[in-house]
């Protein structure tokens, strides 16, 4: 019998102008899991957290991801026992479902002597996202598995490009309101004006170049979204105020994390990231909405298999 402990990071998808294509992983918060390779066929899932998530494998995102991996592995004589301690609050916009799916398949691959490639693991974990949101998307799973900043040039077929980036601090505020992913998708316009598209692809190219060249000024100038954010931000109270005041305090820029309600800001220096956190707290105290905040850094290693025992 073999057991591994797994740490799976929170992630930020839809990195400002990089809607559906750019994401990054965070060092905090991280989900904790324990996975055992068993001689008893099948998959058994247990949650030891307070979120009341489904434990039936086909309904749990980690289960759906593992079932896809097991099917392709093709050895019906093996099974897995998975225990999940969910730390990343579901529905926060911080990739809670992706952490479960990605963590489970990375752990399983470790127990199967790295039989699959990272790209295979993304493909399996996308089955988990389908359970959570009805569509197979990879914008949280990819940074969760690869770490750092990732670009998904194409999803069908999968074309993943891990990007190098300079060190950055990330401040996140999670206002305790519900933004349904389906609502956040439904309000988007189906058509885009050419002048907006030109601005957006200029910014995406600038952001990628800024990451690769460690150019904080270019990153900051490119952190602008003229297509999605103006519409989605109306679902998040305080958004404009947070963004404006944080940028005035020296943040490079930021936006909505995933489909919200969390909002994030990137900073070059730790003291700026901490000032940004205080600004976020002041704004939500004033509005009277409860919140959680995190100040963290970009996670460069992705899902971590922390220990194994024979
Ligand atoms: P986030 O925006 O933080 O990624 P999602 O809204 O995408 O969160 O996913 C949460 C949804 O997935 C919820 O409906 C939840 O019930 C469902 N779900 C099923 N299994 C899990 C799991 N293991 N971890 C997180 N969410 C799960």
């Amino acid at each position: 019998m073999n057991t591994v402990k797994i740490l799976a990071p929170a992630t930020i998808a839809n990195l400002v102008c990089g809607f559906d294509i750019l994401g990054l992983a965070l060092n905090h918060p991280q989900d904790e899991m324990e996975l055992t390779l068993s001689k008893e066929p099948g998959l058994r899932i247990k949650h030891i957290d307070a979120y009341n998530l489904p434990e039936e494998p086909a309904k749990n995102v980690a289960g759906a991801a593992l079932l896809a991996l097991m099917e392709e592995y093709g050895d019906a004589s093996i099974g897995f026992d998975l225990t999940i301690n969910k730390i990343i609050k579901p529905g926060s916009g911080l990739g809670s479902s992706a952490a479960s799916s990605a963590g489970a398949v990375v752990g399983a691959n470790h127990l199967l002597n790295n039989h699959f490639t990272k790209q295979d693991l993304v493909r399996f974990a996308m089955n988990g996202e389908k359970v959570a949101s009805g569509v197979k998307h990879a914008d949280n799973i990819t940074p969760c598995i690869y770490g750092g900043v990732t670009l998904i040039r194409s999803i069908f077929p999968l074309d993943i490009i891990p990007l190098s980036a300079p060190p950055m601090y990330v401040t996140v505020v999670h206002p305790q309101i519900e933004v349904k992913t389906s609502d956040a998708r439904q309000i988007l316009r189906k058509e885009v004006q050419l002048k907006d598209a030109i601005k957006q692809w200029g910014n995406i190219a600038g952001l990628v170049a800024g990451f690769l060249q460690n150019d904080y000024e270019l990153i900051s100038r490119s952190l602008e979204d003229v297509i999605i954010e103006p519409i989605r931000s109306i679902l998040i109270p305080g958004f404009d105020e947070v963004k404006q005041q944080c940028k005035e305090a020296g943040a490079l820029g930021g936006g909505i994390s995933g489909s919200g309600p969390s909002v994030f800001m990137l900073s070059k220096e730790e003291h700026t990231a901490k000032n940004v956190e205080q600004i976020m707290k002041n704004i939500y105290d004033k509005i009277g909405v409860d919140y959680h905040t995190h100040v963290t850094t970009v996670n460069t290693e992705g899902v971590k298999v922390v220990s194994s025992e024979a």
Side-chain angles (χ1 to χ4, degrees):
M1 198 162 79
N2 272 311
T3 298
V4 287
K5 285 193 163 63
I6 302 157
L7 285 175
T11 45
I12 290 176
N14 299 336
L15 209 60
V16 192
C17 47
F19 183 69
D20 268 359
I21 61 166
L22 285 174
L24 60 76
L26 301 176
N27 274 317
H28 176 83
Q30 302 207 24
D31 273 1
E32 300 163 1
M33 282 178 265
E34 195 171 276
L35 184 68
T36 300
L37 178 62
S38 156
K39 290 202 171 73
E40 193 185 327
L43 174 57
R44 294 152 294 274
I45 298 179
K46 195 169 86 189
H47 271 275
I48 51 163
D49 49 57
Y51 293 116
N52 208 15
L53 293 163
E55 292 186 330
E56 190 187 323
K59 291 189 179 155
N60 190 295
V61 300
L66 275 177
L67 288 172
L69 175 145
M70 289 163 78
E71 197 186 317
E72 201 160 309
Y73 190 67
D75 180 351
S77 70
I78 60 156
F80 288 102
D81 289 279
L82 176 66
T83 305
I84 304 176
N85 184 14
K86 181 145 289 291
I87 310 289
I88 309 163
K89 205 169 171 185
S92 54
L94 291 173
S96 174
S97 51
S100 286
S101 315
V105 294
V106 173
N109 198 38
H110 184 91
L111 291 168
L112 299 173
N113 298 317
N114 296 315
H115 180 80
F116 294 108
T117 65
K118 275 189 180 176
Q119 188 169 311
D120 290 333
L121 301 180
V122 171
R123 198 161 43 78
F124 300 138
M126 281 165 65
N127 289 280
E129 295 296 59
K130 180 140 197 241
V131 169
S133 66
V135 273
K136 281 190 178 182
H137 61 92
D139 43 352
N140 289 100
I141 285 164
T142 306
C144 192
I145 289 179
Y146 285 74
V149 181
T150 55
L151 166 67
I152 304 168
R153 193 198 62 83
S154 153
I155 186 158
F156 300 114
L158 257 181
D159 189 1
I160 291 166
I161 301 105
L163 301 175
S164 63
M168 288 179 290
Y169 289 86
V170 189
T171 314
V172 178
V173 62
H174 176 198
Q176 304 293 292
I177 56 164
E178 191 186 358
V179 173
K180 288 214 170 81
T181 308
S182 53
D183 291 347
R185 280 219 168 246
Q186 219 164 18
I187 61 167
L188 297 179
R189 284 198 214 107
K190 299 282 175 290
E191 268 130 39
V192 171
Q193 297 231 351
L194 184 61
K195 67 173 175 46
D196 291 335
I198 292 168
K199 263 197 185 169
Q200 196 84 351
W201 61 56
N203 281 325
I204 296 166
L207 188 55
V208 170
F211 285 142
L212 296 179
Q213 296 175 358
N214 293 350
D215 184 339
Y216 289 102
E217 286 290 318
L218 179 57
I219 292 171
S220 182
R221 289 201 301 284
S222 308
L223 284 170
E224 179 194 34
D225 171 7
V226 296
I227 294 176
I228 310 294
E229 183 185 287
I231 298 169
R232 277 206 172 161
S233 58
I234 57 178
L235 300 174
I236 303 171
F239 179 84
D240 291 341
E241 226 176 322
V242 166
K243 200 171 153 190
Q244 192 195 331
Q245 288 190 31
C246 293
K247 284 182 81 170
E248 279 166 13
L252 297 167
I256 303 166
S257 180
S259 55
S262 291
V263 175
F264 74 98
M265 286 287 149
L266 302 179
S267 299
K268 185 178 171 188
E269 314 279 357
E270 186 175 17
H271 68 90
T272 313
K274 287 191 168 153
N275 288 344
V276 159
E277 181 186 33
Q278 193 54 51
I279 289 168
M280 290 168 165
K281 287 180 173 179
N282 293 346
I283 290 172
Y284 283 103
D285 280 340
K286 197 179 80 192
I287 300 176
V289 170
D290 288 341
Y291 56 83
H292 295 301
T293 55
H294 309 282
V295 178
T296 184
T297 45
V298 177
N299 172 314
T300 51
E301 61 183 331
V303 174
K304 192 171 171 188
V305 180
V306 273
S307 75
S308 55
E309 52 191 67

